[in-house]
Amino acid sequence: MAWFSREVLSDPSLPWIAIRTRVRSEKLVSKVLTHWGAESWAPTAPLRRRWSDRWHMVDWPLFPGYVFARVPLDGWYPLLDLSGVHTVVKDGRLAAEVNADTLRDVRTFAAGLGLVQAQPEYIPWFAPGDLVMVSDGPFAGIRATVTRADEKLRVAVGMTLLGQGVSVSLPVENLVRISA
């Protein structure tokens, strides 16, 4: 299922856009886009993870919840039908173009991490007081305020329900910043 021909999607002059995926769907989305004929990239970095009985190196998303792809800026709507896609980073009604220099820097950074086997430290960009909406999981759709962010990529969000303050700790990749 493609909304543009393979010739259009394989055009190297198309701009890069950022696609917001559901939790742990980066590889699936990138694979389907490539199958359609679009150039896509889900940057990864080696990360040491503990399994039940040993340590193992895995390729972990460098930007959890994001995939970069070359598609027409006005042709992002069909992406929402793709399994695993949450939304597209937009500028008004069009997809926001990712700066080519920024993308080049990300590619260089990802390649460097692979060469030196350095493990990136993920730093939550949320700060107490930020307004967020939960994008995935049992609390999807709830609007809340960040009350605390920690080094384990978890954010405590507070909601006022029935005159009571309630706080729950959620993974950063399940949150989307919203404006007041």
Side-chain angles (χ1 to χ4, degrees):
M1 169 183 154
W3 66 101
F4 289 108
S5 68
R6 283 188 168 277
E7 292 78 29
V8 169
L9 289 175
S10 63
D11 180 0
S13 68
L14 283 174
W16 284 93
I17 66 165
I19 301 167
R20 177 89 166 113
T21 68
R22 289 192 166 73
V23 178
R24 296 190 175 113
S25 295
E26 300 90 357
K27 288 181 183 178
L28 170 69
V29 170
S30 184
K31 184 177 178 178
V32 171
L33 286 169
T34 301
H35 176 73
W36 283 0
E39 186 177 355
S40 67
W41 181 51
T44 59
L47 197 61
R48 189 170 182 235
R49 288 292 201 195
R50 181 154 179 81
W51 289 8
S52 61
D53 60 342
R54 65 190 179 280
W55 287 93
H56 188 68
M57 291 300 284
V58 295
D59 280 333
W60 197 256
L62 191 56
F63 298 103
Y66 288 93
V67 170
F68 300 101
R70 284 188 189 265
V71 299
L73 294 179
D74 60 350
W76 63 268
Y77 297 100
L79 291 171
L80 299 179
D81 292 334
L82 181 60
S83 178
V85 170
H86 179 68
T87 190
V88 171
V89 177
K90 297 179 279 299
D91 182 13
R93 291 182 172 258
L94 298 178
E97 184 174 350
V98 176
N99 181 299
D101 292 335
T102 301
L103 198 59
R104 185 194 68 239
D105 291 345
V106 170
R107 284 187 187 278
T108 302
F109 184 74
L113 285 173
L115 290 174
V116 299
Q117 296 290 309
Q119 296 199 18
E121 178 183 348
Y122 291 93
I123 302 169
W125 71 77
F126 294 109
D130 287 349
L131 296 176
V132 295
M133 183 170 63
V134 182
S135 63
D136 203 11
F139 301 109
I142 292 178
R143 295 170 186 261
T145 303
V146 173
T147 58
R148 178 177 34 89
D150 66 24
E151 66 282 351
K152 294 181 181 171
L153 289 183
R154 297 190 69 79
V155 174
V157 294
M159 297 159 270
T160 304
L161 303 171
L162 303 174
Q164 298 286 323
V166 179
S167 181
V168 64
S169 183
L170 297 172
V172 170
E173 60 266 12
N174 287 2
L175 302 176
V176 177
R177 187 185 322 271
I178 59 175
S179 58

